[in-house]
Amino acid sequence: MTSTTPSSTRHVWRAVAVREVSTQARSKTFLLSAGFLALGLVALVVVLSVVSGRETTRQVAVVDELGTAAVAQAAELARDLDDGLSLEATRSDSPDEAEQAVRDGEADVALVPTTAGGYELVGDDELSGTTAQALTAATTDLLTQRNAERQDVDLEALARGVQVDERLLDPGPDDAGLREAAALVFVVLFFVTAISFGMAMAATVTQEKESRVVEILAAAVPLRALLWGKVAGTSVLALAQTLLLVLIGVVALVVTGQGDALGVLGSAIAWYVVFFVLGFVTLASLWSVAGSLAGRQQDLQGTTAPLQVLLMAPYFVSIMAGESVQTVFSMLPVVSTMVMPARLAQGPVPGWQLALAVGLTLLAAVLLVRLSARVYERTLLQTDRRISFGEALRHAR
């Protein structure tokens, strides 16, 4: 191998990085993947906008003035329980006519008096929980007031001091739905990006080995500089795609009238980019090693399997695990790059946990990149067979 000076080595890995970016950026796989992710992100924002802004009107058939007043009062209660729910009263001449309106689909529910002096809610095959709750509370309140007036009872004095208030020790955020959706997007975006770019990088390394191109490159380029160039080029391209998707997401939120979400998720998005850079650079070196261990393209499924498992574990933890498990995983090196941004999207995270996650990931990145470089140098030129991880680690000693 020809000797190179430090300055020429830097020039070499930069040239390799530029070549990696230009090659992958023109590939159909990259363009289709980026386009699919962009369309999926826009579609998700639009769906959230439609769902959050959708209003539902329930028609309530009534037969008297008390029923009409109950619907008006229940409408205010319903709005407190569900911003998108409104109640409207439709007048019927009799309870039978009100029930028939429900059967014909002209009304969603009927509020009719009973022979015992009370009222009942009549639905077709089911009663909406929020609608029934609001109508029951309003009707009960009006009937109590009517009975109190008939008995000459001071209802306000009777009810004074008997209220039961509610208080939460650890109240959840009002925008829990938005936060959960953002956490899922962070996890899926990192998972898909890491898998797609990682497999492409590993396949490129294996293709160069299988075609013997790597032997030509090794005669002119230090293998470590070749690794740095591939890692840098792929990381820059992945980061560029991520920043583009973040920009598209922000624009989509503003266009659909959900700009307030940026105030809720702004810091989480910024931290996601930080963790993405740390995690992807670490994994990129491992993907290159996985490619160097394979002797041919058919071997990639086996050599990349450990990395796929490494990504699948935090993916399922972020979606299915409980809070305590997520807290632990969010501070572990490498896997924290997926779990911690999801936690940040769902709410505040203690500063010491955030600092620990960043510090451990940086330490793991330095150690894994150094180990990957040693393995890469000792396995890249072995083009005749697949190399096991155990053998590769022995070579790295």
Side-chain angles (χ1 to χ4, degrees), residues 82-364:
D82 185 348
D83 290 337
L85 178 63
S86 62
L87 304 178
E88 292 184 358
T90 58
R91 196 64 177 263
S92 299
D93 294 333
S94 66
D96 291 338
E97 183 178 325
E99 292 184 17
Q100 189 60 46
V102 175
R103 291 192 184 94
D104 296 339
E106 298 175 358
D108 297 290
V109 63
L111 178 63
V112 297
T114 63
T115 56
Y119 280 75
E120 66 177 355
L121 291 174
V122 181
D124 188 9
D125 54 356
E126 64 177 354
L127 287 171
S128 172
T130 304
T131 301
Q133 181 180 353
L135 287 171
T136 299
T139 304
T140 301
D141 183 58
L142 291 176
L143 289 174
T144 301
Q145 292 182 24
R146 185 187 67 181
N147 292 339
E149 291 174 358
R150 289 177 178 177
Q151 300 296 326
D152 196 22
V153 175
D154 187 349
L155 190 60
E156 292 184 1
L158 187 65
R160 189 176 300 122
V162 300
Q163 298 90 345
V164 177
D165 297 325
E166 296 180 351
R167 181 168 61 90
L168 298 176
L169 295 176
D170 188 16
D174 296 333
D175 43 22
L178 172 65
R179 292 179 178 274
E180 290 176 0
L184 179 61
V185 169
F186 287 162
V187 173
V188 172
L189 181 58
F190 185 92
F191 178 80
V192 173
T193 303
I195 287 287
S196 59
F197 279 96
M199 289 298 295
M201 173 183 275
T204 301
V205 174
T206 304
Q207 183 181 16
E208 291 174 352
K209 286 186 62 175
E210 195 172 8
S211 63
R212 304 282 182 166
V213 172
V214 69
E215 297 177 3
I216 301 174
L217 293 175
V221 179
L223 295 183
R224 185 162 296 204
L226 187 62
L227 174 64
W228 297 155
K230 287 184 175 295
V231 170
T234 305
S235 299
V236 166
L237 198 59
L239 178 60
Q241 176 181 285
T242 299
L243 292 176
L244 178 61
L245 291 174
V246 168
L247 178 61
I248 291 174
V250 169
V251 172
L253 286 173
V254 173
V255 170
T256 56
Q258 301 180 85
D260 294 342
L262 297 178
V264 177
L265 300 175
S267 62
I269 293 174
W271 275 112
Y272 168 76
V273 175
V274 173
F275 276 99
F276 178 89
V277 172
L278 295 176
F280 190 86
V281 170
T282 304
L283 290 173
S285 62
L286 297 178
W287 284 111
S288 295
V289 169
S292 71
L293 297 180
R296 53 183 182 167
Q297 294 292 328
Q298 292 87 334
D299 298 333
L300 279 175
Q301 192 60 39
T303 59
T304 60
L307 288 174
Q308 296 182 45
V309 172
L310 182 63
L311 288 171
M312 289 295 293
Y315 174 80
F316 285 114
V317 166
S318 300
I319 295 177
M320 303 175 61
E323 182 177 353
S324 58
V325 176
Q326 289 190 19
T327 299
V328 173
F329 268 73
S330 68
M331 291 180 285
L332 297 179
V334 183
V335 296
S336 63
T337 57
M338 292 178 66
V339 184
M340 183 59 81
R343 282 190 62 203
L344 288 166
Q346 293 175 334
V349 173
W352 69 268
Q353 294 184 9
L354 192 58
L356 182 61
V358 172
L360 290 178
T361 300
L362 279 172
L363 178 62

Side-chain angles (χ1 to χ4, degrees), residues 6-17:
S7 60
S8 62
T9 299
R10 288 194 294 269
H11 175 74
V12 167
W13 75 256
R14 289 174 183 170
V16 173

